[in-house]
Amino acid sequence: MLDDLTDAERKALAQCRHAILGVDRPLRLDCGVNLGPYRVAYQTYGTLNADKSNAVLVCHPLTCDQFVADRHPVTGKDGWWESLIGAGKVLDPARYFIICINVLGHCMGTTGPQAHDPATGQAWNLRFPVVTIGDMVRAQAALLDHLGIPDLFCVIGGSMGGMQVLEWAASYPRRVFSAVPIACAAHHSAQNIAFHEVGRQAIMADPEWKGGDYRLHQTNPARGLAVARMTAHITYLSEQALQRKFGRALQNRDALGFGFDADFQVESYLRHQGSTFVDRFDANSYLYITRAMDYFDLAGAHGDVLANAFRGTATRFCLMSFTSDWLFPTRETRAVVHALNAVAANVSFVEVDSDKGHDAFLLDEPEMFRTLSGFLKGAATVRGLGSVS
Amino acid sequence: MAAPIRVDLQLIADMVEPGTRALDVGCGDGALLAHLMNAKRVDARGMELSQAGVNACVANGLSVIQGDADTDLRDYPDAAFDYVILSQTLQATREPRRVLEQMLRVGKHAIVSFPNFAHWQVRLRLVFGGRMPETASLPYKWYDTPNIHLCSIDDFRALCRTMGVRIERAIVLNSKSRRITLPPLLANLIGEQAVFMLRRD
């Protein structure tokens, strides 16, 4: 299976672990397709303790990957959640065995549309089956089986990562001791789907996309993917954050250019976000992963009653939202809290005051760290993980 | 062992059997929750109106959500807890009777503490001072008080009768937070606050 790698995947797999799963028993996807064998790329930090009780699964959001706390093999940048994970941080590898798994359909080593269909030997591209958040989580559970990890002390993630956390808690309640879904929702709203559709249309409108077969034609739908990223990036920021950061400031000029160059700093910033994104992300993967988020509807999967997804749960929950997040506003988190109350689950909920928008969960938010630290301390005590030094 | 807590909270804690499930509505800084968890191994959860209070509780490892006693008890299923606790908050709710009904639905027992508006100091201040009473347990001006449904101990007993609720325990404290045992008429005069444990009959 290692002969069909992109450059980014080759670099990624050289820096992380991977497993080939689904050889004997393929993964049954929600769309009805049996997928197997498939590759799962993952990164770990710290050591699993003797009674296997200290495993923490970090679920990554749409455009991040398994390199949560080390230098990225493609961009050379720091891990995307190093504010949270590391020596002396809230999630300290000296104490926890931290796993982050590249999700199914992604492009950093785990099987996705760029992989080859074992049946035909050809790249899947758009013939890759549409995967769901549930499929991603089942693949993660299969990896944990493979690694001999019976259950997780904590599953944590923001945005799409938070959706995976909710799915984990609903599908594998006995394997999740505590769950921390941050800045997410139990379903994708019409507005969320709408923004994703704009992104997908931008990719598919790029003439170099070639119906998804761009590698075959040796083309690159980089412009379409960049526009998709630019659109999405706006949704990750609050209006206040954009205004504070850029206002109407001009980029490298004293007066308007009366043309369509990036006159404004905000334009230049978005163009930069778009152009750097295409180096590390695959256009088809972007279609598949955004689709998975659009399809996510936890209540819909449980008779339209969200509480049914959590009935009988013994998992300890800590939910967090941010006041200026308009992509996953607090009311969405509150709906999950109401559902958890309806089954008398053990739940904490904190709304963090921040003007940084959806991206706040990736940034330095002391209130979020304090909340997490307290929640994990309480959960660790109940789990018998010993006191935090 | 656990640090000492306020006398009225200690009285409430004493009513809770070890190893049970409790919901503290209006849990404030979480002092009672922490005590119930640490000293009595209670599976204790909290609900608090102020976000700052919630954040502080969760940062201390307590299970607390932001919520309103008037509206958010509805979410919980019947008999989800052994005890639902409301300390010094009933008088600040919009619909105290509804809140009590919800507490008795969600919990097998309800524990309620409240300041007694018929305390002799309150009576004196109103009768002879001619002003809205301000006391140690009611330290607000009339225009900024959160206490919109004050009652006396006898008022509360009357409501329990009307609702057909059984009073399992009733403890009355004087202004020095000492327990007093007096006939109801005198208790309603000398008592500065009261703690009741109720259950549906």
Side-chain angles (χ1 to χ4, degrees), chain B residues 4-168:
Chain B
I5 53 171
R6 232 169 53 205
V7 176
D8 59 315
L9 297 182
Q10 183 64 55
L11 284 173
I12 292 172
D14 290 344
M15 293 182 179
V16 174
E17 293 293 325
T20 52
R21 285 161 67 91
L23 174 67
D24 185 5
V25 182
C27 62
D29 62 2
L32 177 61
L33 281 182
H35 182 79
L36 288 173
M37 267 174 53
N38 299 330
K40 305 197 91 166
R41 294 174 291 103
V42 170
D43 179 357
R45 325 277 179 77
M47 181 191 286
E48 167 60 31
L49 193 56
S50 106
Q51 192 64 60
V54 175
N55 296 16
C57 286
V58 179
N60 283 324
L62 304 170
S63 299
V64 176
I65 59 161
Q66 198 270 335
D68 186 335
D70 271 301
T71 52
D72 295 330
L73 282 170
R74 268 178 241 149
D75 294 333
Y76 293 91
D78 295 355
F81 296 93
D82 296 299
Y83 305 91
V84 177
I85 299 162
L86 189 71
S87 67
Q88 306 292 335
T89 304
L90 184 69
Q91 74 281 357
T93 61
R94 285 186 296 281
E95 296 186 85
R97 181 177 172 161
R98 282 272 166 75
V99 171
L100 278 177
E101 283 166 0
Q102 286 293 338
M103 289 175 70
L104 288 159
R105 179 187 66 78
V106 171
K108 293 177 188 135
H109 309 267
I111 303 177
V112 183
S113 73
F114 57 90
N116 176 23
F117 202 67
H119 184 236
W120 62 271
Q121 286 183 357
V122 174
R123 298 190 198 201
L124 282 182
R125 269 162 227 243
L126 187 60
V127 171
F128 296 108
R131 303 279 299 270
M132 282 300 282
E134 284 173 49
T135 66
S137 59
L138 298 167
Y140 300 98
K141 300 281 183 202
W142 66 272
Y143 49 81
D144 65 4
T145 181
N147 300 324
I148 53 176
H149 282 120
L150 288 157
C151 69
S152 71
I153 294 172
D154 285 359
D155 285 329
F156 188 80
R157 286 182 188 276
L159 177 61
C160 290
R161 273 194 302 277
T162 308
M163 289 172 66
V165 166
R166 190 187 335 154
I167 296 171
E168 296 183 294

Side-chain angles (χ1 to χ4, degrees), chain A residues 90-312:
Chain A
V90 173
L91 281 174
D92 191 333
R95 182 172 164 76
Y96 300 111
F97 179 56
I98 299 157
I99 314 158
C100 189
I101 306 170
N102 193 218
V103 296
L104 204 61
H106 212 266
C107 48
M108 274 298 152
T110 293
T111 293
Q114 68 288 345
H116 285 204
D117 179 355
T120 65
Q122 301 295 308
W124 286 99
N125 295 336
L126 275 217
R127 291 162 295 278
F128 189 69
V130 167
V131 294
T132 63
I133 299 291
D135 294 331
M136 292 173 181
V137 165
R138 274 188 292 281
Q140 291 166 356
L143 177 70
L144 295 190
D145 291 342
H146 173 80
L147 298 175
I149 299 173
D151 60 3
L152 296 158
F153 166 62
C154 181
V155 186
I156 178 172
S159 197
M160 185 182 81
M163 290 176 163
Q164 293 165 61
V165 174
L166 293 174
E167 180 72 40
W168 260 102
S171 297
Y172 301 97
R174 274 185 286 277
R175 296 184 80 167
V176 182
F177 185 78
S178 67
V180 185
I182 305 173
C184 66
H187 65 209
H188 230 203
S189 71
Q191 193 186 39
N192 295 1
I193 296 169
F195 276 112
H196 273 175
E197 176 60 2
V198 172
R200 285 189 294 264
Q201 287 300 326
I203 289 168
M204 294 192 275
D206 187 325
E208 299 213 5
W209 180 62
K210 305 279 185 201
D213 289 329
Y214 41 90
R215 259 182 296 272
L216 190 68
H217 293 87
Q218 296 186 314
T219 55
N220 183 5
R223 297 180 73 91
L225 181 58
V227 172
R229 171 64 171 176
M230 289 165 78
T231 314
H233 202 80
I234 299 167
T235 69
Y236 302 154
L237 304 173
S238 67
E239 197 209 347
Q240 305 98 289
L242 268 182
Q243 192 62 31
R244 186 185 55 226
K245 230 169 166 171
F246 306 109
R248 292 182 53 82
L250 300 178
Q251 178 70 19
N252 299 332
R253 66 197 69 199
D254 299 324
L256 296 176
F258 292 93
F260 297 97
D261 285 346
D263 275 1
F264 295 101
Q265 278 183 11
V266 65
E267 294 173 300
S268 169
Y269 170 77
L270 280 181
R271 287 183 189 193
H272 174 75
Q273 286 295 330
S275 66
T276 53
F277 184 60
V278 300
D279 296 334
R280 66 179 175 92
F281 217 91
D282 177 74
N284 284 342
S285 270
Y286 197 86
L287 303 180
Y288 279 89
I289 305 294
T290 55
R291 206 68 185 136
M293 290 179 77
D294 291 352
Y295 278 10
F296 187 60
D297 180 8
L298 202 52
H302 292 85
D304 285 329
V305 179
L306 186 54
N308 287 346
F310 305 113
R311 213 159 282 285

